[in-house]
Amino acid sequence: MTTVGERLVEGLAARGVEVVFGIPGVHTIELYRGLASGAIRHVTPRHEQGAGFMADGYARVSGKPGVAFVITGPGVTNTLTAMAQAKADSVPMLVISGVNRRASLGLGLGMLHELPDQAAMVRALCPTERLDDPADLGPMLDRAFAAMLGGRPGPAHIEIPTDVMGLPCPALEAPAVLPQPPEAAPQALEEAASLLDAAQRPVILIGGGCRRAGAQVQALAEALDAPVVQTTNARGIMHGHTLTVAASASLAATRALIREADAVLALGTELGPTDYDAYVNGQLPDLSGMIRVDLCADQLARHKARLALRAEAGAFAAALLPRLTPRKGDGAARAEAASRAARAELADLHPAMPDQLAMVEAIRDALPGGLIVGDSTQPVYAANLCYDHDRPGGWFNAATGYGALGFGPGAAIGAAVASGAHVTCLIGDGGLGFDPAELRVAVDEALPVTFLVWNNAAFREIAEAMIAAQTKVIGCSPSPFDMGHFAAACSLPFARVPQEPEALKAALRAPMQGPRLIEVQAR
């Protein structure tokens, strides 16, 4: 007899899943029976929230859905924060959970891990289904993968009752072909080309939807001679290019560039406030005359545009390119001026920001081609405003969108599992307190992760916001770990450096075997 749990793992493997992040429990033992074949690697986090963040980091780097196995009840509620972060950042994540036996659901019998309606909680975030009939397993997996990958990416959830997991299950049919992204109509492409050809000062705005379309975006930018403004999730797509503006649209210099444009093309960006109006001053230029391209019809409906096209950004750029008349103008000069002015703005926003940015750039320069996965900490905020990474998709963090603290360790581990490349987890001492146990997972898995702790012994960003609001600072000074002892408890090599770029570079360039912890004594 082949059980539902075993068929589930077969179905995941058939859909390209290679890794599952999960913590086994009495409600998921039958799911783990399927993992015994070894077809899928299992990584054990220390907390279900960490499992979700690992799945998130894995998905961002691999391009495949990250998968988490969690128990019913607290396993699901612990994972909801990570699912919400994935929803905000358009990350494909599949959470497969248990749920109590079918006959007990909704009766309030006081069973272990019971929730009144587990699916209702999840449904507020993403599609969810319960498997009641083993014959539905294959189609249900097809629907989950279509939901994650068939349009704007995001999380999905399947719950399996404990009395269904061990039932006999027929062989699954081959996975269904995923829905293809919509293509822009030729007439719309011609209209877009006409508008852009007529412009003398075009600007392109790109977001996370362009993360895997770097070549197409670059070719389009060069044909239009258009500066390219990149959100946090788009950094690295055109590293070092003369048309790159790796600066937030929340900065005055970037906004001036946009305001002076006579055509704006927005590709794969939701135009969210954390990227476009971080200081909530409402001074973003009017974008109602833009050409906007996005996979999501709901997104396209949220902002007025002269021309809205539902399409994948890379495919759109490739289809538009032959319709354009290439030209050469002052695009590079405009991009360089905006980038220079944006960087100069940092000191006006906060006198410490230039030094914080220099430390992030030191990480990039010491470990070229690596990934930097950030938590919500001050140098991450500075770099989100103005920073150019040297690898597409190699800079991401939770400091935009949903903004979950404690994201960094799990996401860095998932990124390292996906890539095998060196990953730096940049996290504050406050954020580290949210998920410290996940560092042991990097030890267990012998992953090339540097946990770089920015230690200012405070929730300093919040403390400074309280001061700016002229209120008493309360609750912002939790005592940090003694990082040396904490590293020893985690069996991690340890170094402590001052907030000096050259000192940090030297520490990062030191040989390493497996993970390590470096503490920066922040000023």
Side-chain angles (χ1 to χ4, degrees), residues 18-380:
E18 298 175 333
V19 183
V20 163
F21 303 93
I23 302 175
V26 294
H27 283 106
T28 54
I29 287 174
E30 287 300 327
L31 300 186
Y32 277 75
R33 187 185 302 278
L35 290 172
S37 67
I40 291 178
R41 176 182 177 182
H42 183 269
V43 175
T44 307
R46 298 300 192 267
H47 189 283
E48 288 94 356
Q49 180 172 281
F53 287 148
M54 289 176 196
D56 179 306
Y58 178 90
R60 293 190 199 224
V61 174
S62 70
K64 300 178 179 180
V67 180
F69 279 8
V70 301
I71 62 168
T72 187
V76 175
T77 54
N78 285 341
T79 313
L80 282 174
T81 294
M83 295 173 73
Q85 185 71 53
K87 172 77 171 178
D89 282 347
S90 302
V91 177
M93 175 195 297
L94 178 59
V95 175
I96 298 176
S97 77
V99 71
N100 285 313
R101 56 184 173 83
R102 291 167 289 181
S104 74
L105 296 177
L107 298 181
L109 300 176
M111 298 186 68
L112 180 65
H113 302 329
E114 185 177 47
L115 284 167
D117 190 341
Q118 178 173 280
M121 286 194 319
V122 179
R123 193 171 293 115
L125 276 176
C126 68
T128 179
E129 291 195 70
R130 185 174 76 226
L131 181 70
D132 289 327
D133 183 346
D136 291 335
L137 177 59
M140 194 170 290
L141 285 171
D142 285 337
R143 290 191 292 273
F145 274 76
M148 290 187 292
L149 300 172
R152 184 183 184 188
H157 171 247
I158 292 174
E159 61 180 18
I160 306 178
T162 53
D163 61 330
V164 172
M165 294 178 187
L167 293 178
C169 185
L172 305 185
E173 295 185 3
V177 176
L178 288 171
Q180 293 301 301
E183 295 183 2
Q187 183 178 352
L189 288 166
E190 293 294 345
E191 185 177 354
S194 178
L195 291 170
L196 291 166
D197 271 340
Q200 298 301 308
R201 299 181 309 282
V203 167
I204 301 175
L205 312 178
I206 65 171
C210 297
R211 198 159 31 207
R212 302 185 189 281
Q216 298 95 319
V217 169
Q218 180 172 320
L220 182 61
E222 290 171 348
L224 290 171
D225 194 41
V228 180
V229 176
Q230 302 165 21
T231 68
T232 294
N233 283 329
R235 300 291 170 81
I237 286 176
M238 290 174 58
H239 173 63
H241 196 283
T242 57
L243 292 170
T244 284
V245 183
S248 171
S250 297
L251 297 175
T254 315
R255 289 176 166 186
L257 175 73
I258 298 169
R259 187 175 295 110
E260 293 162 3
D262 54 0
V264 173
L265 173 61
L267 296 174
T269 175
E270 71 174 353
L271 304 171
T274 53
D275 277 307
Y276 288 85
D277 195 16
Y279 295 99
V280 199
N281 58 26
Q283 295 177 10
L284 181 69
D286 179 14
L287 295 176
S288 61
M290 67 180 162
I291 302 165
R292 190 177 183 204
V293 180
D294 201 277
L295 272 175
C296 179
D298 290 340
Q299 279 293 337
L300 291 173
R302 287 177 184 136
H303 296 276
K304 185 178 179 181
R306 178 168 182 174
L307 181 61
L309 299 91
R310 188 168 174 232
E312 188 273 325
F316 167 83
L320 180 65
L321 189 61
R323 293 173 163 84
L324 295 172
T325 303
R327 39 85 177 305
K328 196 69 178 173
D330 63 351
R334 288 188 293 132
E336 196 277 333
S339 297
R340 184 176 63 250
R343 191 179 183 97
E345 263 184 79
L346 296 185
D348 294 331
L349 291 168
H350 194 298
M353 274 190 178
D355 291 339
Q356 293 165 357
L357 175 59
M359 293 293 280
V360 176
E361 291 175 333
I363 302 170
R364 177 197 64 198
D365 296 344
L367 301 167
L371 297 97
I372 304 177
V373 178
D375 210 87
S376 292
T377 191
Q378 286 188 309
V380 170

